[in-house]
Amino acid sequence: MQTRVFEKLFSEGMISSESLHRVKDAESRRLISVHWELNIILYLGVLLLSGGLGIIIYQNIDTIGHQAMLALIAVLCAGSYYYAWLHRKPFSWQKVPSRGPFAEYAVLLGCLLAAIFISYLQAQYDVFGDRYGLAFLFPMILYFFSAYYFDHLGALCLGIIAFGGWLGISIAPFHILRDNDYTSFRMIFSGFLVGITLMTAAYISDRYERKQHFAFTYNNFGLHSCFLSHIAAIHQLGDFGVAWLIPMAIFCGIIYLMARRERSFYFMLIMVLYAYAGLSYVFLLLTSRISEGGMLYALYFAVTAFIIARLLIYFNKSMRT
Amino acid sequence: MIAYNRQQLDNLEVLREADLAFRKELITSEELAAIQQQHRLNIYKPNFFIRVGLVITTVFIVVALFCLVGLALDISDESTFTVMCFFWALFCYVALELIIYSRHHFESGVDDALLWLSGAFFYVMILETGNWDTDSTASFMTLLLTGTVLAVRFFSAGMATAAFIGLTGIFYNAGINIGAPLLIPFTLIAVSAGVYILSQQALSNPSAKYHTMPLEMLCILALGVAYASGNYFMVKESGIVADVPLPMMIFCWIWTIAIPILYIYQGIRSKDMLILRTGLILVAAGAFTIRYYYEVMATEVIMILAGSVLILIARIITRYLRQPRHGFTAEAPEDNDEMTGNIEALIVAETFHDTPQKPDDGFKFGGGSGMGGGASGNF
């Protein structure tokens, strides 16, 4: 806080001298938090350590022996979970305050080691055979259990990503566009399925107060998955893509109501941008038949972008009051 | 000198501070109400996400209009293009002044976008007029002058960055032109030091209180460039000299290793988070520089060692700061909102997620990037 602001307020008679003293006192005792710096150091440490261990294991697979390797991973994994369990807070369906960064990262390390363990089993012993789904299912269950039991958002994200993988799509933030083949209807269908399931999970979390603070994460993944599938569907349907605007409009309506209810500017912006992308795609598709028109496109974007800007300004105004 | 209404900016600051003080229960609710009554805001400052949306749409509108007129006037003609750039720079600038003056926009997204577009069109116009390259001294002069004027008038950190790039570019080119490439690192260090000292002085001056953001940006840039100028990798690989002479090499290695430590020490001593954080980042830069030239150990061994050391350091500091000491604490800051937690979880998921993979993807371990997914196949 800026003490000069309060000194000015005091001289104007807006605050009492006790208040001014309290502010000055608090300001003189103010502590500088290195919480995030420590978190980042820890994050880099875990990233480097797990990465380095991974490479060493990979390189020495022949000399160390598979059983020994599996045993080592299992012991480390159990150790991480044991540490997290020692430092746990009693379970609650509400948000549980943090147990400190070390316990948080122990949960994460446990999750990662468990995934490595299962990958190893699958790669070396082919335990799941061709049913790759199972290789996603087990870590997924563990991730979700860790997320709920230890109240861990990171584990929840891992669980959601594994859930997407189980159903055959990649929904990690920077992989969602790169790794997915959105030209197949199977993929589009999976995208919808994952998205709608996640958004249902968000609704349930919120409505029945089961880890209410997880709702945002569920919604965030679900929303992007659904919207990307909408856009892909419009693209794939070709001339019938226009018809797909109707289900997309209904979906946008639902998101609109949700964003209004939760006062989430983020969801509102995402909805507007995806809707705009879908509409523009259909417009370009239809007009490309009748004219070459670069000028038509320029005019289209100038006018529509103005309308979208007005719309955003309107949403901002109506959601604040 | 500044485009925005000072009274309104002061009111915004008072309201923010009062709100914070009220949440910490330092002032009473009656006092807060009186302050709010007395400090009315009429600026237009939408929510952050709406701001992002408005930046996107404003850029769309201006660029689309440029294309529309450009297509009508045959943009392939170079002089038409230059003249259009001039008019668009002017048009954006006038629009920017107008929305600030009459609509009271402040950090609304529209003003951010118009400021950038105006600067960019102007810069392109200047380059086109003289057929200059982006790395010519004329280009750097333009960046420096436009950036400074716009950064002062609209206190934009981005414009301060442009100005700083211009300034360092001018000195870099001067060093090349007078044929003294080995002077360049020292000149840039001196320039950065000058910028840092001046910015620090300005920051403690109450009359520059609106310009905190661009000034802090300048400090960060100056600290970074001062380090980079003497970093061995940068000096050797930038190709300013074919062979680095021995005294220079010794200086560079000392600089590469000592500066991050010095920054951290200074940051802790003066409780300046800006220099402390820069120092922490530069430790990594120094480590990579050493690693690039000396293969002391295999990468994975270094990863394990460095990872363990980092975890240990975090552990020790957390223990040490369990009780706040010397004004530092390991507790989360008070203004820690939920969004940071969500972003952290996303970053963690992005870099760590390691789902089982199909055997034909090759069998890889580890939490590094690019190992993810493996889910694009059919099931």
Side-chain angles (χ1 to χ4, degrees), chain A residues 230-247:
Chain A
H230 273 298
I231 303 276
I234 291 176
H235 180 76
Q236 278 307 301
L237 285 170
D239 289 352
F240 300 104
V242 188
W244 194 265
L245 284 178
I246 297 167

Side-chain angles (χ1 to χ4, degrees), chain A residues 1-2 4 16 19 22 32-35 37 43 58-59 102 116 120 123 135 168 174 179 186 265 316 320, chain B residues 13 17 26 31 34 45-47 49 277 300 315 327 329-331 348 350-351 354 356 363 365 375-376 379:
Chain A
M1 284 179 295
Q2 302 278 354
R4 66 177 157 77
S16 62
S19 293
R22 274 200 296 273
I32 296 173
S33 168
V34 286
H35 177 79
E37 285 73 14
Y43 162 77
Y58 179 59
Q59 284 176 342
F102 285 91
I116 293 179
Y120 204 134
F174 288 102
D179 289 354
R186 191 188 187 114
F265 290 94
N316 184 61
R320 283 230 166 140
Chain B
E13 186 190 26
E17 296 285 320
L26 301 171
E31 284 170 340
K45 190 178 184 308
N47 173 277
F49 292 106
R277 282 177 188 159
E300 58 272 18
R315 182 82 193 157
T329 173
E331 293 289 314
V348 163
E350 171 60 28
T351 42
D354 187 312
F363 183 50
F365 279 116
S376 50
F379 287 84

Side-chain angles (χ1 to χ4, degrees), chain A residues 17 25 136:
Chain A
S17 60
D25 190 41
F136 280 102

Side-chain angles (χ1 to χ4, degrees), chain A residues 1-2 4-6 9 12 14-16 19 22-23 26 31-39 41-59 61 83 95 102 105 108 112 115-116 118-120 123 132-133 135-136 139 143 153-154 157-158 161-162 165 168-170 172-175 179 186-187 216-217 220-221 265-266 269 273 276 294-295 298-299 301-302 305-306 308-309 312-313 316 320, chain B residues 13-14 17-18 20-21 24-28 31 34-35 38-39 44-47 49-50 52-54 56-57 60-61 64-65 67-68 71-72 103 209 271 273 276-277 280 300-301 303-304 306-308 310-311 313-315 317-318 321 324 327-333 336 338-342 344-359 363-368 370 372-377 379:
Chain A
M1 284 179 295
Q2 302 278 354
R4 66 177 157 77
V5 171
F6 292 93
L9 285 173
E12 287 167 354
M14 305 288 298
I15 56 171
S16 62
S19 293
R22 274 200 296 273
V23 169
L31 296 169
I32 296 173
S33 168
V34 286
H35 177 79
W36 285 109
E37 285 73 14
L38 288 173
N39 250 320
I41 292 175
L42 192 56
Y43 162 77
L44 290 175
V46 173
L47 190 70
L48 285 172
L49 186 65
S50 64
L53 275 178
I55 297 174
I56 288 227
I57 290 171
Y58 179 59
Q59 284 176 342
I61 251 174
Y83 183 88
K95 187 172 180 167
F102 285 91
Y105 274 96
L108 202 63
L112 294 171
I116 293 179
I118 290 169
S119 307
Y120 204 134
Y132 302 122
F136 280 102
Y143 292 155
L153 270 181
C157 287
L158 289 173
I161 292 168
I169 69 161
S170 181
F174 288 102
H175 296 260
D179 289 354
R186 191 188 187 114
M187 188 64 91
F216 173 82
T217 309
N220 194 19
F221 278 98
F265 290 94
Y266 172 69
L269 175 70
L273 291 183
Y276 186 40
M295 281 179 77
L299 191 66
F301 280 110
F306 183 74
I308 300 290
L312 286 172
I313 290 172
N316 184 61
R320 283 230 166 140
Chain B
E13 186 190 26
V14 169
E17 296 285 320
L20 192 63
K24 289 184 188 171
E25 299 179 347
L26 301 171
I27 62 172
T28 63
E31 284 170 340
I35 291 169
Q38 203 52 231
H39 297 85
Y44 182 69
K45 190 178 184 308
N47 173 277
F49 292 106
I50 301 295
V52 173
L54 287 177
I56 297 171
T57 48
F60 261 52
I61 295 170
L65 284 177
C67 294
L68 190 66
L71 286 169
R103 299 292 181 90
K209 64 175 176 180
K271 298 201 173 54
M273 289 312 278
L276 179 64
R277 282 177 188 159
L280 287 174
E300 58 272 18
V301 180
M303 281 170 80
I304 291 174
S308 316
L310 284 177
I311 294 174
I313 289 174
R315 182 82 193 157
I317 299 177
T318 311
L321 291 179
F328 286 101
T329 173
E331 293 289 314
N336 196 6
E338 210 156 281
M339 210 58 197
T340 28
N342 279 317
E344 189 199 12
L346 271 182
I347 294 172
V348 163
E350 171 60 28
T351 42
F352 279 121
H353 81 273
D354 187 312
T355 36
Q357 296 167 6
K358 298 196 304 298
F363 183 50
K364 288 178 184 164
F365 279 116
S376 50
F379 287 84

